[in-house]
Amino acid sequence: MFRYIMYLGILLASAGGYLLIRKIIDRRVEKNTDTEVVRENEEYLGTWASKSDSGFTMFRLHRDGKLTYRFSNNPGTDTSTIFGKYVYVGAEGGNDPKYFPRLYAINQKGDTLFNYYVRYLTKYDMTIDKVDKMMLSPNNVFDTLAFTFYRIKQ
Amino acid sequence: MKYFLPGICFIFLCFFTACKSNSNKRAVNLEDLDKVTTAEQQATPGPSRSILTATELIELSACKDLPCVQLFMKERSSDFVHAKKGEFASQYRSAVTDTSGNSLVIPMSTLYVTVDAGADWRMAHTVHTKALSDQLLQEFAVAKFFLTDSVYSNKGAGFIYHYHSAQYPGLVLSQTKTYAPWRARGLYYTVTWPCYVFELYARQN
């Protein structure tokens, strides 16, 4: 009996140690390379970009809550950069479409840059999507407009 | 020691794989964004049309219950989504300007059928722009549907126009412009844009 309890303890300690060391390594990598190492349940972090006929938009959601927002409108060539912060309100409602998570982006003056529902976000263990996607939508009405952003290498 | 060796190996294996993040692996280079966007759009082709054709509506008029309509629309599921029981909407959405000048992004057409117990059978194809309505009327004109009658409805529907065709004896097409295509249902709880409703029934003799 004691032996099994010991094995269980070793297993729990191994899992805990693994997660702890992974976290330490991740933070160190992030610090040294100025990137976000994305893990389970934080898939929204990182740099996202979208290109369309009307222009180009790219934003980076930093781990510390800061936001870097870049955009350019066609046919112009100038890229504007806005710094600020973001708020990600998680999906407490699980898969219920009434409870999409929301993403608020706010500039340094406190003005809202955008306030969108996260209609779709590629999960960490997803094997179907070849590229990470985030779909933002102005509303949670089924089957309406959504903007697709792709994860960009930082 | 020999008992702990597999565990230690497992831990080291975990450490070696710890540096890989699945999400980061799926990131693309900024230069490849155009390619990825184009590939995604091609992989998920959009709907090819916004409304049902006159021929399809004539075929649909033979249906007298929901399963028949569902079976018919299932074959057209690339263009129409079965949003709710008895409510089909075109997958293609576009901007429609309402009477206040606001731009609404909504499906270009819907096909609703009655599902309430005890309600009379009704099946209506509602089109949300005049251009599409004219296009559908033109298709019916090709099938030799001609205007034969019009009645004024005081239930918010305005004038209802009836069309008959010698090619399809017994079929009556009714078309109207209204702000009340269905009473408090689906997309039509608060209608602020003109709807063009097409209904096709076999005449009851």
Side-chain angles (χ1 to χ4, degrees):
Chain A
M1 185 65 187
F2 175 75
R3 182 189 290 179
Y4 291 120
I5 293 171
M6 190 180 73
Y7 285 159
L8 187 66
I10 291 169
L11 189 69
L12 288 174
S14 310
Y18 163 64
L19 290 174
L20 179 71
I21 293 185
R22 189 179 78 167
K23 196 171 179 179
I24 291 167
I25 294 171
D26 284 353
R27 295 296 171 276
R28 183 146 290 205
V29 169
E30 283 182 0
K31 198 177 169 188
N32 291 339
T33 59
D34 190 26
T35 56
E36 274 72 42
V37 179
V38 181
R39 296 294 179 190
E40 299 89 342
N41 299 323
E42 51 184 40
E43 291 90 346
Y44 60 90
L45 289 176
T47 305
W48 301 90
S50 172
K51 231 176 203 179
S52 68
D53 295 338
S54 58
F56 167 75
T57 308
M58 186 164 86
F59 59 88
R60 180 178 170 191
L61 305 177
H62 299 249
R63 184 176 292 281
D64 58 3
K66 286 181 186 162
L67 169 86
T68 311
Y69 184 86
R70 289 194 175 89
F71 68 97
S72 68
N73 292 322
N74 289 341
T77 52
D78 290 345
T79 303
S80 307
T81 305
I82 297 171
F83 297 100
K85 60 179 182 177
Y86 72 91
V87 180
Y88 184 82
V89 184
E92 289 81 9
N95 291 327
D96 190 335
K98 285 179 187 166
Y99 294 95
F100 283 135
R102 271 196 108 111
L103 182 65
Y104 303 86
I106 303 150
N107 70 9
Q108 284 172 324
K109 290 179 188 167
D111 298 327
T112 305
L113 292 170
F114 62 76
N115 171 4
Y116 286 147
Y117 282 93
V118 181
R119 175 162 290 189
Y120 177 84
L121 183 60
T122 304
K123 287 280 176 196
Y124 184 77
D125 291 324
M126 170 72 84
T127 52
I128 298 166
D129 285 352
K130 299 298 174 213
V131 180
D132 263 19
K133 272 194 293 190
M134 183 195 273
M135 288 171 82
L136 301 177
S137 176
N139 59 54
N140 66 344
V141 179
F142 170 72
D143 201 29
T144 51
L145 190 71
F147 308 104
T148 307
F149 290 85
Y150 299 97
R151 185 184 295 286
I152 298 295
K153 278 184 186 159
Q154 294 167 300
Chain B
M1 184 62 194
K2 67 177 178 184
Y3 295 112
F4 294 109
L5 196 60
I8 292 166
C9 290
F10 172 73
I11 292 169
F12 273 101
L13 188 69
C14 290
F15 289 162
F16 282 125
T17 58
C19 297
K20 283 202 300 185
S21 158
N22 292 345
S23 294
N24 289 96
K25 268 198 302 184
R26 286 191 298 260
V28 292
N29 288 316
L30 192 54
E31 299 78 39
D32 298 334
L33 190 58
D34 279 331
K35 263 192 271 177
V36 170
T37 310
T38 313
E40 282 276 325
Q41 282 168 352
Q42 284 171 350
T44 51
S48 56
R49 62 196 174 133
S50 311
I51 56 172
L52 290 168
T53 63
T55 318
E56 285 172 327
L57 283 175
I58 291 166
E59 283 178 48
L60 257 178
S61 67
C63 285
K64 293 287 175 273
D65 54 19
L66 181 61
C68 172
V69 179
Q70 281 177 326
L71 200 62
F72 187 89
M73 295 305 285
K74 193 179 175 184
E75 293 166 13
R76 290 147 184 86
S77 56
S78 56
D79 298 320
F80 294 89
V81 62
H82 192 180
K84 215 173 156 185
K85 190 180 177 186
E87 297 178 10
F88 301 87
S90 72
Q91 302 234 27
Y92 185 76
R93 301 176 302 275
S94 189
V96 169
T97 307
D98 74 357
T99 49
S100 305
N102 298 320
S103 187
L104 311 165
V105 178
I106 54 172
M108 284 285 90
S109 72
T110 60
L111 179 80
Y112 280 17
V113 296
T114 46
V115 288
D116 300 328
D120 286 335
W121 176 250
R122 187 184 172 212
M123 177 171 62
H125 188 40
T126 308
V127 177
H128 296 140
T129 64
K130 188 171 186 309
L132 288 171
S133 168
D134 291 345
Q135 180 191 323
L136 193 51
L137 272 181
Q138 187 59 39
E139 286 179 25
F140 275 109
V142 171
K144 305 278 188 252
F145 274 85
F146 295 116
L147 182 67
T148 52
D149 198 6
S150 69
V151 292
Y152 184 76
S153 165
N154 61 357
K155 291 179 182 170
F159 273 98
I160 302 171
Y161 300 98
H162 295 295
Y163 298 78
H164 294 83
S165 168
Q167 281 184 14
Y168 301 96
L171 279 185
V172 183
L173 168 70
S174 71
Q175 191 266 346
T176 182
K177 176 188 171 186
T178 177
Y179 291 89
W182 286 85
R183 190 168 168 271
R185 190 174 172 206
L187 193 62
Y188 305 114
Y189 274 89
T190 311
V191 181
T192 54
W193 66 95
C195 297
Y196 301 85
V197 183
F198 290 78
E199 295 181 50
L200 196 62
Y201 300 109
R203 197 171 1 195
Q204 305 275 325
N205 288 319

